[in-house]
Amino acid sequence: MRQRQMKWAWRVLLAAGLAALAYCGFAVIDGWMYQTREAGRLDDILLARQRSPAAMPELPATMEKGLFGRMEITRLGLSVMVSEGVDRLTLRRAAGHIPGTGLPGQPGNVGISAHRDTFFRPLKDIRTDDIITLTTVRAAYRYRVVSTQVVPPSDV
């Protein structure tokens, strides 16, 4: 009887492990596909605007629940697409522009959020004077890091 229980426990644990691996694989592939698709969309928009700026209608700085832009920090090798919003799906696939924070080129602070163990992992090595480039459908904005600080999650 004990050996039979051990076999069932082994099967259940194996199935749970395989399910966890399958979910992780799905999440990684889904994120990669989203990043690739949105990077292509942004590049297409920028190329079309460059070829014929007069023919292009004025685009909003952000598209509701969609493409916001691309954030890059060359020294860290960080390049991540940024979408509007910070819901669970958005942050699984991209960095998110925090609603209610400023838009690039306008007054106020631009807030970008992402998981520290995925897209923002390289930020652990960010230093003063690093350049952050945020490319949107309107323009490319460059920001210089002036300081860094680790804060608790409750410090919003």
Side-chain angles (χ1 to χ4, degrees):
M1 183 71 157
R2 179 115 168 110
Q3 190 173 13
R4 193 171 182 198
Q5 289 175 337
M6 292 296 282
K7 280 186 181 182
W8 274 105
W10 180 83
R11 288 178 183 150
V12 168
L13 291 173
L14 178 63
L18 290 175
L21 283 173
Y23 174 76
C24 289
F26 166 77
V28 167
I29 291 169
D30 181 52
W32 176 81
M33 288 174 54
Y34 184 84
Q35 288 285 310
T36 302
R37 183 177 60 246
E38 293 301 291
R41 273 184 65 206
L42 179 62
D43 291 341
D44 289 347
I45 292 169
L46 294 175
L47 185 60
R49 287 186 72 96
Q50 185 180 31
R51 285 184 179 162
S52 181
M56 289 292 292
E58 187 59 32
L59 293 167
T62 181
M63 297 176 199
E64 187 175 323
K65 279 300 195 187
L67 178 65
F68 183 84
R70 177 177 29 234
M71 187 175 99
E72 298 172 289
I73 305 173
T74 306
R75 189 185 70 76
L76 299 178
L78 174 83
S79 178
V80 62
M81 297 307 297
V82 180
S83 293
E84 182 60 35
V86 290
D87 58 275
R88 186 174 172 183
L89 179 61
T90 299
L91 293 183
R92 189 181 81 207
R93 293 175 159 182
H97 172 252
I98 302 168
T101 65
L103 296 174
Q106 295 181 357
N109 294 318
V110 178
I112 306 289
S113 176
H115 290 295
R116 68 170 180 239
D117 292 331
T118 56
F119 299 112
F120 277 3
R121 181 176 288 275
L123 289 182
K124 65 182 173 42
D125 297 321
I126 199 158
R127 296 189 300 229
T128 301
D129 293 328
D130 279 347
I131 301 297
I132 300 170
T133 303
L134 183 59
T135 305
T136 69
V137 295
R138 288 189 173 178
Y141 301 90
R142 293 172 43 110
Y143 301 92
R144 184 176 57 84
V145 175
V146 294
S147 67
T148 62
Q149 181 179 5
V150 177
V151 296
S154 60
D155 189 359
V156 295

